[in-house]
Amino acid sequence: MTDSVFPVINAREIAPVRAFYERVFGAQLAYRFPEEGEAVYLTLRIGTGQVAIGLGTEPALYGEVPLPATGHAVDLCLYVENLDAAVTAADTAVVTAPADMPWGERVAYLRDPAGTMLLVIQA
């Protein structure tokens, strides 16, 4: 049985992606490798979930260099208590402004520094 699942964002640079998730979503560092020096992988806790960021510039174990997200390859969905605060913190990363949906949620799209599209939802 699977205990949990989480996405790994392959990025050209980890620091700006980490800073974005910390600033916009209050992410907390849960793990980093290596412990000292320049990180090549880290895991961030966001609420009860987590997202990992890996340096996607060298071949992975399967022999291919991961392509950092460009455009709309994958959406990460994040539920937040205050969508307007997240959009303000995201600044120029806002792709679509907050809008009320007919099913009762308020949503916006943001793009992180690695190019990953984020569907941010306030229920």
Side-chain angles (χ1 to χ4, degrees), residues 8-79:
V8 176
I9 298 169
N10 291 296
R12 288 180 177 88
E13 295 179 73
I14 289 179
V17 180
R18 175 185 178 180
F20 176 86
Y21 283 90
E22 289 173 339
R23 182 180 77 247
V24 177
F25 301 110
Q28 299 289 317
L29 182 64
Y31 173 81
R32 80 182 304 275
F33 180 83
E35 290 183 23
E36 301 293 326
E38 190 79 23
V40 298
Y41 175 91
L42 53 83
T43 303
L44 301 175
R45 286 234 170 260
I46 303 173
T48 59
Q50 59 185 358
V51 63
I53 305 167
L55 193 58
T57 58
E58 299 290 329
L61 292 175
Y62 49 82
E64 298 174 19
V65 176
L67 291 176
T70 55
H72 206 84
V74 174
D75 287 355
L76 294 182
C77 296
L78 297 102
Y79 280 94

Side-chain angles (χ1 to χ4, degrees), residues 73-95:
V74 174
D75 287 355
L76 294 182
C77 296
L78 297 102
Y79 280 94
V80 298
E81 290 183 22
N82 187 332
L83 181 61
D84 293 327
V87 166
T88 298
D91 194 27
T92 61
V94 178
V95 176

